[in-house]
Coordinates of all heavy atoms in Angstrom, one line a residue:
M6 N 266.7 -47.4 121.7 CA 266.8 -48.5 122.6 C 265.6 -48.6 123.6 O 265.1 -49.6 123.8 CB 268.2 -48.4 123.4 CG 268.5 -49.7 124.2 SD 268.7 -51.1 123.1 CE 268.8 -52.4 124.4
N7 N 265.3 -47.4 124.1 CA 264.1 -47.4 125.1 C 262.9 -47.8 124.3 O 262.0 -48.5 124.9 CB 264.0 -46.0 125.6 CG 264.8 -45.7 126.9 OD1 265.2 -46.7 127.5 ND2 265.0 -44.5 127.2
L8 N 262.7 -47.4 123.1 CA 261.5 -47.7 122.3 C 261.4 -49.2 122.1 O 260.3 -49.7 122.2 CB 261.6 -47.0 120.9 CG 260.3 -46.7 120.2 CD1 259.4 -45.8 121.0 CD2 260.6 -46.2 118.9
L9 N 262.5 -49.8 121.9 CA 262.5 -51.3 121.7 C 262.1 -52.0 123.0 O 261.2 -52.9 122.9 CB 263.9 -51.8 121.3 CG 264.0 -53.2 120.9 CD1 263.3 -53.4 119.6 CD2 265.5 -53.7 120.8
I10 N 262.6 -51.5 124.1 CA 262.1 -52.2 125.4 C 260.6 -52.0 125.6 O 259.9 -52.9 126.0 CB 263.0 -51.6 126.6 CG1 264.4 -52.1 126.5 CG2 262.4 -51.9 127.9 CD1 265.4 -51.3 127.4
I11 N 260.2 -50.7 125.3 CA 258.7 -50.4 125.5 C 257.9 -51.3 124.6 O 256.9 -51.9 125.0 CB 258.4 -48.9 125.2 CG1 259.0 -48.1 126.4 CG2 256.9 -48.7 125.1 CD1 259.1 -46.6 126.0
R12 N 258.4 -51.5 123.4 CA 257.7 -52.4 122.4 C 257.6 -53.8 123.0 O 256.6 -54.5 122.9 CB 258.4 -52.4 121.1 CG 257.9 -51.2 120.2 CD 258.6 -51.3 118.9 NE 258.3 -50.1 118.1 CZ 258.8 -49.8 116.9 NH1 259.8 -50.6 116.4 NH2 258.5 -48.8 116.2
L13 N 258.8 -54.3 123.5 CA 258.9 -55.6 124.0 C 257.9 -55.8 125.2 O 257.2 -56.8 125.3 CB 260.3 -55.9 124.5 CG 261.3 -56.5 123.5 CD1 262.7 -56.6 124.0 CD2 260.8 -57.9 123.0
I14 N 257.9 -54.8 126.1 CA 257.0 -54.8 127.2 C 255.5 -54.9 126.8 O 254.7 -55.7 127.2 CB 257.2 -53.6 128.2 CG1 258.6 -53.8 128.9 CG2 256.1 -53.6 129.2 CD1 259.0 -52.6 129.6
I15 N 255.2 -54.0 125.8 CA 253.8 -54.0 125.3 C 253.5 -55.4 124.7 O 252.4 -55.9 124.9 CB 253.6 -52.9 124.2 CG1 253.7 -51.5 125.0 CG2 252.3 -53.0 123.5 CD1 253.7 -50.3 124.0
F16 N 254.4 -55.9 123.9 CA 254.2 -57.2 123.3 C 254.0 -58.3 124.4 O 253.1 -59.1 124.3 CB 255.4 -57.6 122.4 CG 255.3 -58.9 121.8 CD1 254.5 -59.1 120.6 CD2 256.0 -60.0 122.2 CE1 254.3 -60.3 120.1 CE2 255.9 -61.3 121.7 CZ 255.0 -61.4 120.6
A17 N 254.8 -58.3 125.4 CA 254.7 -59.3 126.5 C 253.4 -59.2 127.2 O 252.7 -60.2 127.5 CB 255.9 -59.1 127.5
V18 N 253.0 -57.9 127.5 CA 251.7 -57.7 128.1 C 250.5 -58.2 127.3 O 249.6 -58.9 127.7 CB 251.5 -56.2 128.5 CG1 250.0 -55.9 128.9 CG2 252.4 -55.8 129.6
L19 N 250.6 -57.9 126.0 CA 249.5 -58.3 125.1 C 249.5 -59.9 125.0 O 248.4 -60.5 125.0 CB 249.7 -57.8 123.7 CG 249.3 -56.3 123.5 CD1 249.7 -55.8 122.1 CD2 247.8 -56.1 123.7
F20 N 250.7 -60.5 124.9 CA 250.8 -61.9 124.8 C 250.2 -62.6 126.1 O 249.4 -63.5 126.0 CB 252.3 -62.3 124.7 CG 252.5 -63.8 124.7 CD1 252.2 -64.5 123.5 CD2 253.0 -64.4 125.8 CE1 252.4 -65.9 123.5 CE2 253.2 -65.8 125.7 CZ 252.9 -66.5 124.6
L21 N 250.6 -62.0 127.3 CA 250.1 -62.6 128.5 C 248.6 -62.4 128.6 O 247.8 -63.3 129.1 CB 250.8 -61.9 129.7 CG 252.2 -62.4 129.9 CD1 252.9 -61.6 131.0 CD2 252.3 -63.9 130.3
A22 N 248.1 -61.2 128.2 CA 246.7 -61.0 128.3 C 245.9 -61.9 127.3 O 244.9 -62.5 127.7 CB 246.4 -59.5 127.9
G23 N 246.5 -62.2 126.1 CA 245.9 -63.1 125.2 C 245.9 -64.5 125.8 O 244.8 -65.2 125.7
L24 N 247.0 -64.9 126.4 CA 247.1 -66.2 127.0 C 246.0 -66.4 128.1 O 245.3 -67.4 128.2 CB 248.5 -66.4 127.6 CG 248.9 -67.9 127.8 CD1 249.2 -68.6 126.5 CD2 250.2 -67.9 128.6
K25 N 245.9 -65.3 128.9 CA 244.9 -65.4 130.0 C 243.5 -65.5 129.5 O 242.7 -66.3 129.9 CB 245.0 -64.1 130.9 CG 244.4 -64.3 132.2 CD 244.8 -63.1 133.1 CE 243.9 -63.0 134.3 NZ 243.9 -64.2 135.2
L26 N 243.2 -64.7 128.4 CA 241.9 -64.7 127.8 C 241.6 -66.1 127.2 O 240.5 -66.7 127.4 CB 241.8 -63.7 126.7 CG 241.4 -62.3 127.2 CD1 241.5 -61.3 126.0 CD2 239.9 -62.3 127.7
Y27 N 242.6 -66.7 126.6 CA 242.5 -68.0 126.0 C 242.2 -69.0 127.0 O 241.3 -69.9 126.9 CB 243.8 -68.4 125.2 CG 243.8 -69.8 124.7 CD1 242.9 -70.2 123.7 CD2 244.6 -70.8 125.3 CE1 242.9 -71.5 123.2 CE2 244.6 -72.1 124.9 CZ 243.7 -72.4 123.8 OH 243.7 -73.7 123.4
R28 N 242.9 -68.9 128.2 CA 242.7 -69.9 129.3 C 241.3 -69.7 129.8 O 240.6 -70.7 130.1 CB 243.7 -69.7 130.4 CG 245.0 -70.4 130.0 CD 246.0 -70.2 131.1 NE 247.3 -70.9 130.8 CZ 248.4 -70.7 131.4 NH1 248.5 -69.8 132.3 NH2 249.5 -71.3 131.0
M29 N 240.9 -68.5 130.0 CA 239.5 -68.2 130.5 C 238.5 -68.8 129.6 O 237.5 -69.4 130.0 CB 239.3 -66.7 130.7 CG 239.9 -66.2 132.0 SD 239.9 -64.4 132.0 CE 238.2 -64.0 132.0
Y30 N 238.7 -68.6 128.3 CA 237.8 -69.1 127.3 C 237.7 -70.6 127.3 O 236.6 -71.2 127.3 CB 238.2 -68.6 125.9 CG 237.4 -69.3 124.8 CD1 236.1 -69.0 124.5 CD2 238.0 -70.3 124.0 CE1 235.4 -69.6 123.5 CE2 237.3 -70.9 123.0 CZ 236.0 -70.6 122.8 OH 235.3 -71.2 121.8
R31 N 238.9 -71.2 127.5 CA 238.9 -72.7 127.5 C 238.2 -73.2 128.7 O 237.5 -74.2 128.7 CB 240.4 -73.2 127.5 CG 240.5 -74.5 126.8 CD 242.0 -74.8 126.6 NE 242.7 -74.7 127.8 CZ 244.0 -75.1 128.0 NH1 244.6 -75.6 126.9 NH2 244.6 -75.0 129.1
Q32 N 238.5 -72.6 129.9 CA 237.8 -73.0 131.1 C 236.3 -72.8 131.0 O 235.5 -73.7 131.4 CB 238.3 -72.1 132.3 CG 237.9 -72.6 133.7 CD 238.3 -74.0 134.0 OE1 239.5 -74.3 133.8 NE2 237.4 -74.9 134.4
W33 N 235.9 -71.7 130.4 CA 234.4 -71.4 130.2 C 233.8 -72.5 129.3 O 232.7 -73.0 129.6 CB 234.3 -70.0 129.6 CG 232.8 -69.7 129.2 CD1 231.8 -69.3 130.0 CD2 232.3 -69.9 127.9 NE1 230.7 -69.2 129.3 CE2 230.9 -69.6 128.0 CE3 232.7 -70.3 126.7 CZ2 230.0 -69.6 126.9 CZ3 231.9 -70.4 125.6 CH2 230.5 -70.0 125.7
K34 N 234.6 -72.8 128.3 CA 234.1 -73.8 127.3 C 233.9 -75.2 128.0 O 232.9 -75.9 127.8 CB 235.0 -73.9 126.2 CG 234.4 -74.5 124.9 CD 235.4 -74.4 123.8 CE 234.9 -74.9 122.5 NZ 234.1 -76.1 122.5
L35 N 234.9 -75.5 128.9 CA 234.8 -76.8 129.6 C 233.6 -76.8 130.5 O 232.9 -77.7 130.6 CB 236.1 -77.0 130.4 CG 237.3 -77.6 129.7 CD1 238.6 -77.5 130.6 CD2 237.0 -79.0 129.3
D36 N 233.4 -75.7 131.3 CA 232.3 -75.6 132.2 C 231.0 -75.7 131.4 O 230.1 -76.3 131.8 CB 232.3 -74.2 132.9 CG 233.4 -74.2 134.0 OD1 234.0 -75.3 134.2 OD2 233.7 -73.2 134.5
H37 N 231.0 -75.0 130.2 CA 229.8 -75.0 129.4 C 229.5 -76.4 128.9 O 228.3 -76.8 129.0 CB 230.0 -74.0 128.2 CG 228.8 -73.6 127.5 ND1 227.9 -72.8 128.0 CD2 228.3 -74.0 126.3 CE1 226.9 -72.7 127.2 NE2 227.1 -73.4 126.1
D38 N 230.5 -77.1 128.4 CA 230.3 -78.5 127.9 C 229.8 -79.4 129.1 O 229.0 -80.2 128.9 CB 231.6 -79.0 127.4 CG 231.9 -78.4 126.0 OD1 231.0 -77.7 125.5 OD2 233.0 -78.6 125.5
D39 N 230.4 -79.2 130.3 CA 230.0 -80.0 131.4 C 228.5 -79.8 131.7 O 227.8 -80.7 131.9 CB 230.8 -79.6 132.6 CG 232.2 -80.3 132.6 OD1 232.4 -81.0 131.7 OD2 233.0 -80.0 133.5
S40 N 228.1 -78.5 131.7 CA 226.7 -78.3 132.1 C 225.8 -78.8 131.0 O 224.7 -79.3 131.3 CB 226.4 -76.8 132.3 OG 226.7 -76.0 131.1
M41 N 226.2 -78.8 129.7 CA 225.5 -79.4 128.6 C 225.3 -80.9 128.8 O 224.3 -81.4 128.7 CB 226.1 -79.1 127.3 CG 226.2 -77.6 126.9 SD 224.7 -77.1 126.0 CE 225.0 -77.9 124.4
A42 N 226.5 -81.5 129.2 CA 226.5 -82.9 129.4 C 225.5 -83.3 130.6 O 224.8 -84.3 130.6 CB 227.9 -83.4 129.7
D43 N 225.5 -82.4 131.6 CA 224.6 -82.7 132.8 C 223.2 -82.7 132.3 O 222.4 -83.5 132.7 CB 224.8 -81.6 133.8 CG 226.1 -81.9 134.7 OD1 226.7 -82.9 134.5 OD2 226.5 -81.0 135.5
D44 N 222.8 -81.7 131.5 CA 221.5 -81.6 131.0 C 221.1 -82.9 130.2 O 220.0 -83.4 130.4 CB 221.3 -80.4 130.0 CG 221.3 -79.1 130.8 OD1 221.1 -79.2 132.0 OD2 221.4 -78.0 130.2
N45 N 222.0 -83.3 129.3 CA 221.8 -84.6 128.6 C 221.6 -85.7 129.6 O 220.7 -86.6 129.4 CB 222.9 -84.9 127.6 CG 222.9 -83.9 126.5 OD1 221.9 -83.3 126.2 ND2 224.0 -83.8 125.8
H46 N 222.5 -85.8 130.6 CA 222.4 -86.9 131.5 C 221.1 -86.9 132.2 O 220.5 -87.9 132.4 CB 223.6 -86.7 132.5 CG 223.7 -87.9 133.4 ND1 224.2 -89.1 132.9 CD2 223.4 -88.2 134.7 CE1 224.2 -90.0 133.9 NE2 223.8 -89.5 135.0
R47 N 220.6 -85.7 132.6 CA 219.3 -85.6 133.3 C 218.2 -86.2 132.5 O 217.3 -86.9 133.0 CB 219.0 -84.2 133.7 CG 218.4 -84.0 135.1 CD 218.4 -82.6 135.5 NE 219.7 -82.0 135.4 CZ 219.9 -80.7 135.3 NH1 218.9 -79.9 135.1 NH2 221.1 -80.2 135.2
V48 N 218.2 -85.9 131.2 CA 217.2 -86.4 130.3 C 217.3 -87.9 130.2 O 216.3 -88.6 130.3 CB 217.3 -85.7 128.9 CG1 216.3 -86.4 127.9 CG2 216.9 -84.2 129.0
E49 N 218.5 -88.4 130.0 CA 218.7 -89.8 129.8 C 218.5 -90.5 131.2 O 218.2 -91.7 131.2 CB 220.2 -90.1 129.4 CG 220.3 -89.8 127.9 CD 221.8 -89.9 127.5 OE1 222.6 -90.3 128.3 OE2 222.1 -89.5 126.4
G50 N 218.6 -89.8 132.3 CA 218.5 -90.4 133.6 C 217.0 -90.8 133.9 O 216.8 -91.4 134.9
Q51 N 216.1 -90.4 133.1 CA 214.7 -90.8 133.3 C 214.6 -92.3 133.2 O 214.9 -92.9 132.2 CB 213.8 -90.2 132.2 CG 213.3 -88.8 132.5 CD 212.2 -88.7 133.5 OE1 211.7 -89.7 134.0 NE2 211.9 -87.5 133.9
M52 N 214.2 -92.9 134.3 CA 214.1 -94.4 134.3 C 212.7 -94.8 134.0 O 211.7 -94.2 134.5 CB 214.5 -94.9 135.7 CG 216.0 -94.6 136.0 SD 217.2 -95.2 134.9 CE 217.5 -96.8 135.6
V53 N 212.5 -95.8 133.2 CA 211.2 -96.4 132.9 C 211.3 -97.9 133.2 O 212.3 -98.5 133.3 CB 210.8 -96.2 131.4 CG1 210.6 -94.7 131.2 CG2 211.9 -96.7 130.5
R54 N 210.1 -98.5 133.5 CA 210.1 -99.9 133.9 C 209.7 -100.8 132.8 O 208.7 -100.5 132.1 CB 209.1 -100.0 135.1 CG 209.2 -101.3 135.9 CD 208.3 -101.3 137.1 NE 206.9 -101.2 136.7 CZ 206.1 -102.2 136.5 NH1 206.6 -103.4 136.7 NH2 204.9 -102.1 136.1
C55 N 210.4 -101.9 132.6 CA 210.0 -102.8 131.6 C 208.7 -103.5 132.0 O 208.6 -104.0 133.1 CB 211.2 -103.9 131.4 SG 210.8 -105.2 130.3
A56 N 207.8 -103.5 131.1 CA 206.5 -104.1 131.4 C 206.5 -105.6 131.6 O 205.7 -106.3 132.1 CB 205.4 -103.8 130.3
W57 N 207.6 -106.2 131.0 CA 207.7 -107.7 131.1 C 208.5 -108.2 132.3 O 208.0 -109.0 133.1 CB 208.4 -108.2 129.8 CG 208.6 -109.7 129.8 CD1 209.7 -110.4 130.0 CD2 207.5 -110.7 129.6 NE1 209.5 -111.7 130.0 CE2 208.2 -112.0 129.7 CE3 206.2 -110.6 129.4 CZ2 207.4 -113.2 129.6 CZ3 205.5 -111.8 129.3 CH2 206.1 -113.0 129.4
C58 N 209.7 -107.6 132.6 CA 210.5 -108.1 133.6 C 210.7 -107.1 134.8 O 211.4 -107.4 135.8 CB 211.9 -108.5 133.1 SG 212.9 -107.1 132.5
S59 N 210.0 -106.0 134.7 CA 210.0 -105.0 135.8 C 211.4 -104.3 136.1 O 211.6 -103.7 137.1 CB 209.4 -105.5 137.1 OG 208.1 -106.0 136.9
V60 N 212.4 -104.6 135.2 CA 213.7 -104.0 135.3 C 213.6 -102.5 134.9 O 212.9 -102.2 134.0 CB 214.7 -104.7 134.5 CG1 215.9 -103.8 134.1 CG2 215.2 -105.9 135.3
H61 N 214.3 -101.6 135.7 CA 214.3 -100.2 135.3 C 215.4 -99.9 134.4 O 216.6 -100.3 134.6 CB 214.4 -99.3 136.6 CG 213.1 -99.3 137.3 ND1 212.7 -100.3 138.2 CD2 212.1 -98.4 137.3 CE1 211.5 -99.9 138.7 NE2 211.1 -98.8 138.2
V62 N 215.1 -99.3 133.3 CA 216.1 -98.9 132.3 C 216.0 -97.5 131.9 O 214.9 -96.9 132.0 CB 216.0 -99.8 131.0 CG1 216.5 -101.2 131.2 CG2 214.5 -99.8 130.5
P63 N 217.1 -96.8 131.5 CA 217.0 -95.4 131.1 C 216.1 -95.3 129.9 O 216.1 -96.1 129.0 CB 218.5 -95.1 130.7 CG 219.3 -96.1 131.3 CD 218.5 -97.3 131.4
E64 N 215.3 -94.2 129.9 CA 214.3 -94.0 128.8 C 215.0 -94.0 127.4 O 214.4 -94.5 126.4 CB 213.7 -92.6 129.0 CG 212.4 -92.5 128.3 CD 211.7 -91.1 128.6 OE1 211.7 -90.7 129.8 OE2 211.2 -90.5 127.7
S65 N 216.3 -93.5 127.3 CA 217.0 -93.5 126.0 C 217.3 -94.9 125.5 O 217.4 -95.1 124.3 CB 218.2 -92.7 126.2 OG 219.1 -93.3 127.1
E66 N 217.4 -95.9 126.4 CA 217.7 -97.2 126.0 C 216.4 -98.1 125.9 O 216.5 -99.3 125.5 CB 218.7 -97.9 127.0 CG 220.1 -97.3 126.8 CD 221.0 -97.8 127.9 OE1 220.8 -98.9 128.4 OE2 221.9 -97.0 128.3
A67 N 215.3 -97.6 126.4 CA 214.1 -98.4 126.4 C 213.3 -98.3 125.1 O 213.5 -97.4 124.3 CB 213.2 -97.9 127.6
L68 N 212.5 -99.3 124.9 CA 211.6 -99.4 123.7 C 210.2 -99.1 124.2 O 209.8 -99.5 125.3 CB 211.7 -100.7 123.1 CG 213.0 -101.1 122.5 CD1 213.0 -102.6 122.3 CD2 213.3 -100.4 121.2
R69 N 209.4 -98.4 123.4 CA 208.1 -98.0 123.8 C 207.1 -98.6 122.7 O 207.3 -98.5 121.5 CB 207.9 -96.5 123.8 CG 206.6 -96.1 124.5 CD 206.6 -94.6 124.7 NE 205.3 -94.1 125.0 CZ 204.8 -94.2 126.3 NH1 205.5 -94.7 127.2 NH2 203.6 -93.7 126.5
D70 N 206.1 -99.3 123.2 CA 205.1 -99.9 122.3 C 203.8 -100.0 123.0 O 203.7 -100.5 124.2 CB 205.6 -101.3 121.9 CG 205.0 -101.7 120.5 OD1 203.8 -101.4 120.3 OD2 205.8 -102.2 119.7
K71 N 202.7 -99.6 122.4 CA 201.4 -99.7 122.9 C 201.3 -99.1 124.4 O 200.6 -99.7 125.2 CB 200.9 -101.1 122.9 CG 201.1 -101.8 121.6 CD 199.8 -102.4 121.1 CE 200.0 -103.3 119.9 NZ 200.5 -102.6 118.7
G72 N 202.0 -98.0 124.6 CA 201.9 -97.3 125.9 C 202.7 -98.0 127.0 O 202.6 -97.5 128.1
E73 N 203.5 -99.0 126.7 CA 204.3 -99.7 127.7 C 205.8 -99.5 127.3 O 206.1 -99.4 126.1 CB 203.9 -101.2 127.8 CG 202.5 -101.4 128.1 CD 202.2 -101.3 129.6 OE1 203.2 -100.9 130.3 OE2 201.1 -101.5 130.0
W74 N 206.6 -99.6 128.3 CA 208.1 -99.5 128.1 C 208.7 -100.9 128.2 O 208.2 -101.7 129.0 CB 208.7 -98.6 129.1 CG 208.4 -97.2 128.9 CD1 207.4 -96.4 129.5 CD2 209.1 -96.3 128.0 NE1 207.5 -95.2 129.0 CE2 208.5 -95.0 128.1 CE3 210.1 -96.4 127.1 CZ2 208.9 -93.9 127.4 CZ3 210.6 -95.3 126.4 CH2 209.9 -94.1 126.5
F75 N 209.7 -101.2 127.5 CA 210.4 -102.5 127.5 C 211.9 -102.3 127.5 O 212.4 -101.3 126.9 CB 210.0 -103.3 126.3 CG 208.5 -103.5 126.2 CD1 207.7 -102.7 125.4 CD2 207.9 -104.5 127.0 CE1 206.4 -102.8 125.4 CE2 206.5 -104.6 127.0 CZ 205.7 -103.8 126.1
C76 N 212.6 -103.2 128.1 CA 214.1 -103.1 128.2 C 214.7 -103.6 126.9 O 215.9 -103.3 126.6 CB 214.6 -103.9 129.4 SG 214.4 -105.6 129.3
S77 N 214.0 -104.5 126.2 CA 214.6 -105.0 124.9 C 213.4 -105.4 124.0 O 212.3 -105.5 124.4 CB 215.4 -106.2 125.2 OG 214.6 -107.2 125.8
S78 N 213.8 -105.6 122.7 CA 212.8 -105.9 121.8 C 212.2 -107.3 122.1 O 211.1 -107.7 121.8 CB 213.3 -105.9 120.3 OG 214.5 -106.7 120.2
A79 N 213.1 -108.2 122.6 CA 212.7 -109.6 123.0 C 211.5 -109.5 124.0 O 210.5 -110.2 123.9 CB 213.8 -110.4 123.5
H80 N 211.7 -108.7 125.0 CA 210.7 -108.6 126.1 C 209.4 -107.9 125.5 O 208.3 -108.3 125.9 CB 211.2 -107.8 127.3 CG 212.1 -108.6 128.1 ND1 212.7 -108.2 129.3 CD2 212.5 -109.9 128.0 CE1 213.4 -109.2 129.8 NE2 213.3 -110.2 129.0
R81 N 209.6 -107.0 124.6 CA 208.4 -106.3 124.0 C 207.6 -107.4 123.2 O 206.4 -107.5 123.4 CB 208.9 -105.2 123.0 CG 207.7 -104.5 122.4 CD 208.2 -103.8 121.2 NE 208.9 -104.7 120.2 CZ 209.6 -104.2 119.2 NH1 209.9 -103.0 119.0 NH2 210.2 -105.1 118.4
D82 N 208.3 -108.2 122.4 CA 207.7 -109.2 121.7 C 206.9 -110.2 122.6 O 205.8 -110.6 122.3 CB 208.7 -110.0 120.8 CG 209.2 -109.1 119.7 OD1 208.7 -108.0 119.5 OD2 210.2 -109.4 119.1
R83 N 207.6 -110.7 123.6 CA 207.0 -111.6 124.6 C 205.8 -111.1 125.2 O 204.8 -111.7 125.4 CB 208.0 -112.1 125.6 CG 209.1 -113.0 125.0 CD 210.1 -113.5 126.0 NE 209.5 -114.4 127.0 CZ 210.2 -115.0 128.0 NH1 211.5 -114.8 128.1 NH2 209.6 -115.8 128.9
Y84 N 205.9 -109.8 125.7 CA 204.8 -109.1 126.4 C 203.6 -109.0 125.4 O 202.5 -109.3 125.8 CB 205.2 -107.8 126.8 CG 204.1 -107.0 127.5 CD1 203.8 -107.2 128.9 CD2 203.4 -106.1 126.8 CE1 202.8 -106.5 129.5 CE2 202.4 -105.3 127.4 CZ 202.1 -105.5 128.7 OH 201.1 -104.8 129.3
L85 N 203.9 -108.6 124.2 CA 202.8 -108.4 123.2 C 202.1 -109.7 122.8 O 200.9 -109.8 122.7 CB 203.3 -107.7 122.0 CG 203.7 -106.2 122.2 CD1 204.2 -105.6 120.9 CD2 202.5 -105.4 122.7
Q86 N 203.0 -110.8 122.7 CA 202.5 -112.1 122.5 C 201.5 -112.6 123.6 O 200.4 -113.0 123.3 CB 203.6 -113.1 122.4 CG 204.0 -113.5 120.9 CD 205.2 -114.3 120.9 OE1 205.6 -114.9 121.9 NE2 205.8 -114.5 119.7
E87 N 202.0 -112.4 124.8 CA 201.3 -112.8 126.0 C 199.9 -112.1 126.0 O 198.9 -112.7 126.3 CB 202.1 -112.4 127.3 CG 201.5 -113.0 128.6 CD 202.1 -114.4 128.9 OE1 202.6 -115.0 127.9 OE2 202.0 -114.8 130.0
R88 N 200.0 -110.8 125.8 CA 198.7 -110.0 125.8 C 197.8 -110.4 124.7 O 196.5 -110.5 124.9 CB 199.1 -108.5 125.6 CG 198.1 -107.6 126.3 CD 198.6 -106.3 126.6 NE 198.4 -105.5 125.3 CZ 198.4 -104.2 125.3 NH1 198.5 -103.5 126.4 NH2 198.3 -103.5 124.1
Q89 N 198.3 -110.8 123.6 CA 197.5 -111.2 122.5 C 196.8 -112.5 122.8 O 195.6 -112.7 122.6 CB 198.3 -111.4 121.2 CG 197.6 -110.9 119.9 CD 198.6 -110.7 118.8 OE1 199.7 -111.4 118.8 NE2 198.4 -109.8 117.9
S90 N 197.5 -113.5 123.4 CA 196.9 -114.8 123.8 C 195.9 -114.6 124.9 O 194.9 -115.3 124.9 CB 198.0 -115.8 124.2 OG 198.7 -115.3 125.3
D91 N 196.1 -113.6 125.8 CA 195.1 -113.3 126.8 C 193.8 -112.8 126.2 O 192.7 -113.2 126.6 CB 195.7 -112.2 127.8 CG 196.6 -112.8 128.8 OD1 196.8 -114.0 128.8 OD2 197.2 -112.0 129.5
E92 N 194.0 -112.0 125.2 CA 192.8 -111.4 124.5 C 192.0 -112.5 123.8 O 190.8 -112.5 123.6 CB 193.2 -110.3 123.6 CG 193.5 -109.0 124.3 CD 194.2 -108.0 123.4 OE1 194.3 -108.3 122.2 OE2 194.6 -107.0 123.9
N93 N 192.7 -113.5 123.2 CA 192.1 -114.6 122.5 C 191.3 -115.6 123.4 O 190.4 -116.2 122.9 CB 193.2 -115.4 121.7 CG 193.7 -114.5 120.5 OD1 193.1 -113.6 120.1 ND2 194.9 -114.9 120.1
E94 N 191.8 -115.7 124.6 CA 191.1 -116.6 125.5 C 189.7 -116.1 126.0 O 189.5 -114.9 126.1 CB 192.0 -116.9 126.7 CG 193.1 -117.9 126.4 CD 194.1 -118.1 127.5 OE1 194.0 -117.4 128.5 OE2 195.1 -118.8 127.3
Ligands
ZN130 ZN1 212.6 -106.6 130.3

């Protein structure tokens, strides 16, 4: 009978320890994912200026052409058209 109780206690302790470790791991994973997301956010947080309309857009959403940044392909096309006609004049 005593042996059974000791086994039960050992089992309970192991179970609680496992649960605690699992929770610690989950918390660590959450923190880890958060810091990873922060890093990504910082990179995406780089703002660049559209050469056509001067609006600031995140680098990840901007288009780059001929050393200039643009908020959209429409503005890129208009800017390049404008520049081309300037060169022709
Ligand atoms: Zn623009």
Side-chain angles (χ1 to χ4, degrees):
M6 191 61 190
N7 271 345
L8 203 65
L9 188 68
I10 289 168
I11 288 166
R12 277 183 184 170
L13 271 173
I14 289 168
I15 290 170
F16 178 77
V18 167
L19 283 175
F20 177 76
L21 286 172
L24 200 71
K25 196 169 167 61
L26 275 173
Y27 172 71
R28 280 184 178 160
M29 278 167 65
Y30 169 73
R31 211 169 53 171
Q32 188 62 48
W33 172 82
K34 202 173 182 319
L35 277 172
D36 289 348
H37 196 70
D38 286 351
D39 279 356
S40 59
M41 294 273 284
D43 282 352
D44 285 347
N45 287 339
H46 190 71
R47 221 171 301 155
V48 172
E49 285 171 9
Q51 275 286 355
M52 299 298 272
V53 292
R54 196 172 62 91
C55 174
W57 179 256
C58 66
S59 301
V60 153
H61 284 83
V62 285
E64 200 176 317
S65 59
E66 288 171 28
L68 296 162
R69 191 171 167 79
D70 207 317
K71 311 237 190 295
E73 300 282 4
W74 288 97
F75 305 96
C76 65
S77 63
S78 57
H80 282 183
R81 179 197 58 195
D82 293 346
R83 285 180 71 174
Y84 177 85
L85 293 177
Q86 258 174 14
E87 191 91 340
R88 208 162 81 157
Q89 218 161 31
S90 60
D91 280 355
E92 280 166 8
N93 289 340
E94 280 169 3

